[in-house]
Amino acid sequence: MATQYKLKDITKLSLKNGQKQEAEVEGIEGGKVLLVKAQDGLHAMSPNCTHYGAPLVKGIVTGDGRITCPWHGACFKIATGDVEDAPALDPLAKFKVEEKEDGVYITGEESVIKAGRCKGTIKCSVKPNEAEHTIIVGAGGGAQGAIEELRIGGYTGKITVIGREPYLPIDRTKLSKALITDLKAIQWRPEEFYKEGNVDMITGETVSSVDFDAKKVSTEGGKSFNYTKLILASGGLPKFLPMEGLNGKDLGNVFQLRGLGDVQEIMKAAGEDGGKKVVVIGSSFIGMEAGNALAGKKHDVTIIGMEEEPMERVMGKKVGAIFRKILEKNGVKFKLSAGVEKGLPSKSDSSKIGAVTLKDGTELPADLVIEGVGIRPSTDYLKDNSKITLEKDGSVKVDEKFQLPGVKDVYAIGDIATYPYHGPSGAGKPVRIEHWDVAQNAGRSVARTIISPSAPPKSFIPVFWSALGGQLRYCGHTPQGFDDVVIQGETDVSEGKQSFVAYYTKGEEVVAVASLMKDPYMAQSAELMRRGKMPTKGELQKGVEILEISVPAEVRI
């Protein structure tokens, strides 16, 4: 039952538009709420993001009535608490707030105030409309975003999800960042959640073909399903190097890192006592995260990269060098500007890897090898389809609404989709972005189009994050490249106090922003980018502080 509670040390409601204040709730141990003034309305809501618990008092309030998480860019509608942007799934709880003579009060249930969120639900009160059937191929972040947005948005048709992995959708980002092996710790929703929403979750089944004329999906297991709307969200497939000993066939203890099973096998080979010699091939984000996590478990880790600095293609040499030094402090060794020749069998067990040989003759001992050398779009089931032509990389080209041109009622999202990018310097250039956040936002966008076909496509800026000895945030994209990086803050890692913002520029335009331990700069930048209000390179160099720029209501992308 809802009860009225007084807020501690809050005597009156005096916030201005855009201002926030966190307040303790008297009579509830640990109970807190966030007071927000937006669009001339005063609101009381959950104080923390429902994704990973970031304090929303440090978030960004926008002129169109949204609040953005300072960590990973999740966005909520202030008036309702509903999720607007990924990666959060659960909405914020909202509470009635009023000012009295003796102070300020909220009205709510104690359990909800303590929980700090509303329990997300897609429960259906009526049987699905059999005449409408949306099939989703794939069960990753894009699928999860589509499922939740369809049901929350009022879609009453049938929903069937066909996933090749043997489990329900998971928080895949935790695999490389933390090497978590427990399915329950990373599964987004319990089985009952989907049952209540009348969502048929088919796991461990691979789609083999799609007949766009007959509107039918077939699987390798001999099943077929008819659809009225189809969302292709089949994700990516990790690559092995096509080299002797490293192709995934010749020797054991050579791993990819994509699914839960991969992490379980890696940790089984690594053991719990540390001390194993681990070679990671690939110095981009997956390789860097996995290497850092294993070094933290006291293993001897060497990362091999083709570039002069790790993550150089995305982050540039300057920032890449900072993260190399951070990982070196954690005990990771690097072999950069290096090419891999082959893998050699172990002298004690010829069925397993024993070393990795580089093109310069260097031999790196290895008890296990992890290959983080990229993925390819999982579109084999579309290769022989006469209705579409895949892009050179195997992806599917779509429009701003993620629709396949010339194919009615079909959408593609996530790792398989090449879509027009309209962020800074994008100019509609087709891009394929392998970010969890992008996939989930695209899923939500498609769901809204299915529910309201005339609605404009969802506007969002790509966001990703990483844990590399500090909390890295990144927003934007660089389809036209970048020609300079403006770095502001502390970059010396010798004392472990690194904290900076890096602005990636093309001419005078800021096209991407990375921050390390400098929240909420990334979240603020993403909101400014959506509105075409990001300062220029010259303005930043003259001292313009982006956190002092108010975020207007109008969205321009």
Side-chain angles (χ1 to χ4, degrees):
M1 180 177 290
T3 304
Q4 198 168 71
Y5 297 93
K6 188 177 182 181
L7 300 183
K8 185 178 180 180
D9 299 328
I10 306 292
T11 58
K12 62 180 181 178
L13 300 172
S14 57
L15 297 176
K16 297 178 180 179
N17 277 330
Q19 291 185 329
K20 311 173 294 294
Q21 184 177 5
E22 192 174 85
E24 294 183 23
V25 181
E26 292 186 358
I28 299 180
E29 185 177 356
K32 293 182 179 180
V33 295
L34 183 71
L35 299 176
V36 183
K37 183 74 174 288
Q39 296 179 311
D40 297 324
L42 199 289
H43 303 266
M45 59 180 60
S46 308
N48 298 98
C49 179
T50 60
H51 178 224
Y52 285 173
L56 292 177
V57 72
K58 296 183 178 180
I60 307 300
V61 176
T62 67
D64 56 347
R66 302 176 2 142
I67 186 166
T68 300
C69 168
W71 289 0
H72 307 125
C75 209
F76 305 88
K77 189 174 183 178
I78 294 173
T80 63
D82 292 339
V83 175
E84 290 274 295
D85 285 353
L89 295 179
D90 288 338
L92 300 173
K94 289 294 303 293
F95 309 100
K96 181 182 177 182
V97 58
E98 60 181 312
E99 182 180 324
K100 296 185 177 183
E101 289 185 2
D102 63 336
V104 176
Y105 291 77
I106 64 163
T107 301
E109 296 181 17
E110 180 178 357
S111 60
V112 176
I113 295 171
K114 282 185 173 180
R117 67 174 67 199
C118 284
K119 184 179 179 182
T121 179
I122 56 173
K123 189 173 183 179
C124 292
S125 58
V126 296
K127 186 177 180 181
N129 175 14
E130 297 286 335
E132 293 290 328
H133 187 191
T134 293
I135 291 180
I136 305 174
V137 177
Q144 190 66 39
I147 292 167
E148 307 234 356
E149 194 70 31
L150 281 168
R151 283 293 185 241
I152 292 170
Y155 179 76
T156 58
K158 291 175 61 179
I159 300 175
T160 300
V161 180
I162 307 170
R164 66 174 176 269
E165 293 174 313
Y167 39 75
L168 297 174
I170 60 171
D171 186 349
R172 197 179 302 277
T173 65
K174 291 182 177 179
L175 294 178
S176 58
K177 291 174 174 60
L179 299 177
I180 294 175
T181 59
D182 180 7
L183 176 59
K184 291 182 179 179
I186 60 174
Q187 187 170 294
W188 274 121
R189 300 294 198 187
E191 185 177 1
E192 190 62 27
F193 176 87
Y194 303 100
K195 287 183 177 179
E196 288 182 347
N198 286 320
V199 178
D200 189 8
M201 302 294 291
I202 301 173
T203 59
E205 190 78 56
T206 300
V207 169
S208 57
S209 65
V210 178
D211 186 332
F212 293 121
D213 290 326
K215 289 193 168 184
K216 184 173 71 174
V217 174
S218 300
T219 72
E220 291 181 355
K223 299 177 182 178
S224 62
F225 306 85
N226 293 316
Y227 67 84
T228 56
K229 297 288 189 295
L230 177 63
I231 304 175
L232 304 176
S234 41
L237 295 173
K239 302 175 184 177
F240 274 117
L241 291 174
M243 299 172 182
E244 179 185 346
L246 299 172
N247 55 23
K249 301 176 183 178
D250 297 342
L251 298 172
N253 283 0
V254 177
F255 303 104
Q256 300 166 322
L257 206 171
R258 179 69 178 179
L260 178 65
D262 297 325
V263 175
Q264 291 172 336
E265 289 298 314
I266 288 169
M267 296 312 298
K268 180 180 178 180
E272 299 180 358
D273 299 327
K276 292 291 175 66
K277 294 187 180 301
V278 181
V279 172
V280 178
I281 303 175
S283 61
S284 193
F285 290 94
I286 296 296
M288 291 282 282
E289 290 172 350
N292 189 54
L294 285 165
K297 298 178 183 294
K298 308 304 180 183
H299 294 290
D300 182 354
V301 178
T302 300
I303 296 178
I304 304 170
M306 295 177 63
E307 300 170 305
E308 292 182 37
E309 294 291 354
M311 308 183 296
E312 182 180 324
R313 183 180 64 83
V314 175
M315 307 301 292
K317 289 183 182 179
K318 294 178 183 178
V319 177
I322 294 170
F323 285 101
R324 170 179 54 78
K325 293 173 184 177
I326 292 173
L327 265 63
E328 286 174 338
K329 283 191 67 177
N330 293 346
V332 176
K333 297 184 287 291
F334 286 89
K335 291 289 183 180
L336 298 169
S337 299
V340 175
E341 183 70 27
K342 61 182 178 180
L344 300 175
S346 168
K347 294 178 181 178
S348 61
D349 184 348
S350 61
S351 68
K352 296 180 179 179
I353 193 76
V356 174
T357 301
L358 304 183
K359 290 187 180 297
D360 65 2
T362 301
E363 189 173 297
L364 301 173
D367 295 310
L368 64 148
V369 171
I370 300 172
E371 297 187 26
V373 294
I375 66 169
R376 66 176 179 87
S378 178
T379 53
D380 292 350
Y381 61 97
L382 299 172
K383 282 185 177 179
D384 298 324
N385 198 302
S386 61
K387 287 289 184 178
I388 62 172
T389 300
L390 297 177
E391 299 295 289
K392 289 183 179 180
D393 62 358
S395 65
V396 180
K397 193 170 185 178
V398 297
D399 63 17
E400 281 84 352
K401 289 191 173 184
F402 298 96
Q403 294 174 313
L404 272 67
V407 185
K408 189 178 180 181
D409 297 324
V410 181
Y411 308 82
I413 59 176
D415 293 344
I416 71 167
T418 293
Y419 73 97
Y421 181 64
H422 291 284
S425 87
K429 181 176 180 179
V431 298
R432 187 172 71 85
I433 302 178
E434 298 169 1
H435 298 343
W436 169 265
D437 181 269
V438 170
Q440 196 182 121
N441 275 326
R444 290 185 179 276
S445 180
V446 167
R448 293 177 188 182
T449 298
I450 289 173
I451 296 167
S452 302
S454 61
K458 181 176 173 60
S459 166
F460 63 90
I461 292 291
V463 167
F464 73 81
W465 62 93
S466 188
L468 294 171
Q471 296 303 317
L472 167 67
R473 329 286 190 203
Y474 183 100
C475 68
H477 191 55
T478 55
Q480 312 287 357
F482 56 91
D483 51 34
D484 197 8
V485 184
V486 178
I487 301 177
Q488 297 177 348
E490 179 57 61
T491 60
D492 184 0
V493 305
S494 60
E495 296 184 4
K497 296 181 180 179
Q498 59 276 358
S499 175
F500 65 87
V501 184
Y503 299 95
Y504 295 81
T505 61
K506 183 75 171 177
E508 278 293 303
E509 187 172 24
V510 176
V511 296
V513 176
S515 71
L516 182 72
M517 309 304 286
K518 288 285 281 187
D519 298 325
Y521 277 84
M522 181 280 290
Q524 173 82 348
S525 297
E527 291 292 356
L528 292 174
M529 285 178 180
R530 289 179 73 233
R531 293 159 172 83
K533 294 295 184 180
M534 195 67 192
T536 65
K537 173 183 175 180
E539 289 171 334
L540 290 168
Q541 290 174 325
K542 290 177 181 178
V544 170
E545 171 55 69
I546 69 166
L547 295 185
E548 295 178 359
I549 302 173
S550 62
V551 181
E554 183 184 7
V555 174
R556 293 189 177 181
I557 70 164

